[in-house]
Amino acid sequence: MRNLAAVFKALSAETRLSMLGLLLREGELCVCDFVEVLGVTQSKASRHLRYLVNAGLLQDRREAVWIYFRIAEAPGDIQATVLASLRELLPDQVPAELLDALKVWRERQVRDAVSCKPPATRGRRRAGRQ
């Protein structure tokens, strides 16, 4: 019963549902993608994503300093049942503005060779560097 409650608690936040919907549509996303698209801080995005990982709905992988998230490949029985329902429901519920924001962000990454840096440090130069 505790496992089921943890899954439903993880689904109780709109931000986490948006994250799941984006992942169901896109496959795998970096924390920085969620920061840009959802307009949340890196710590808030990471906290929400960790909640979903702990509930057994997502898994992560590290690539250098970046952490990427995707739907769990081998979820437990409860998680698999819930994910099957979410695969039918969530992708069509993702607001168009989030999908548009993700598209713009990805285009900007390619065009400007932007990596996943916190918004506060993007575009600023260190003192003494020209």
Side-chain angles (χ1 to χ4, degrees):
M1 187 67 86
R2 191 172 289 177
N3 194 10
L4 182 60
V7 170
F8 282 111
K9 283 181 185 178
L11 300 175
S12 68
E14 187 174 344
T15 298
R16 292 191 288 268
L17 286 173
S18 294
M19 290 172 154
L20 279 168
L22 286 167
L23 288 167
L24 286 166
R25 289 182 67 103
E26 301 298 320
E28 183 177 73
L29 294 169
C30 179
V31 172
C32 68
D33 296 323
F34 294 109
V35 169
E36 287 293 323
V37 171
L38 298 173
V40 296
T41 64
Q42 182 274 327
S43 61
K44 190 171 196 173
S46 294
R47 185 170 31 94
H48 280 297
L49 290 161
R50 186 61 39 209
Y51 211 101
L52 293 166
V53 168
N54 291 340
L57 298 169
L58 299 184
Q59 60 190 70
D60 61 359
R61 71 176 178 87
R62 180 178 291 274
E63 186 175 305
V65 297
W66 315 123
I67 301 179
Y68 293 85
F69 292 86
R70 66 185 176 281
I71 301 298
E73 292 175 4
D77 292 341
I78 290 170
Q79 290 85 351
T81 301
V82 169
L83 285 168
S85 295
L86 292 175
R87 277 187 180 88
E88 291 182 32
L89 297 171
L90 266 184
D92 293 334
Q93 298 297 314
V94 177
E97 59 266 14
L98 293 183
L99 297 173
D100 292 343
L102 182 60
K103 181 180 177 186
V104 168
W105 164 238
R106 285 182 168 166
E107 289 169 353
R108 195 170 94 220
Q109 282 180 302
V110 171
R111 181 187 67 236
D112 300 340
V114 174
S115 63
C116 297
K117 294 179 184 174
T121 61
R122 264 191 221 113
R124 287 192 340 204
R125 294 178 188 226
R126 286 188 165 163
R129 290 184 70 188
Q130 298 294 335

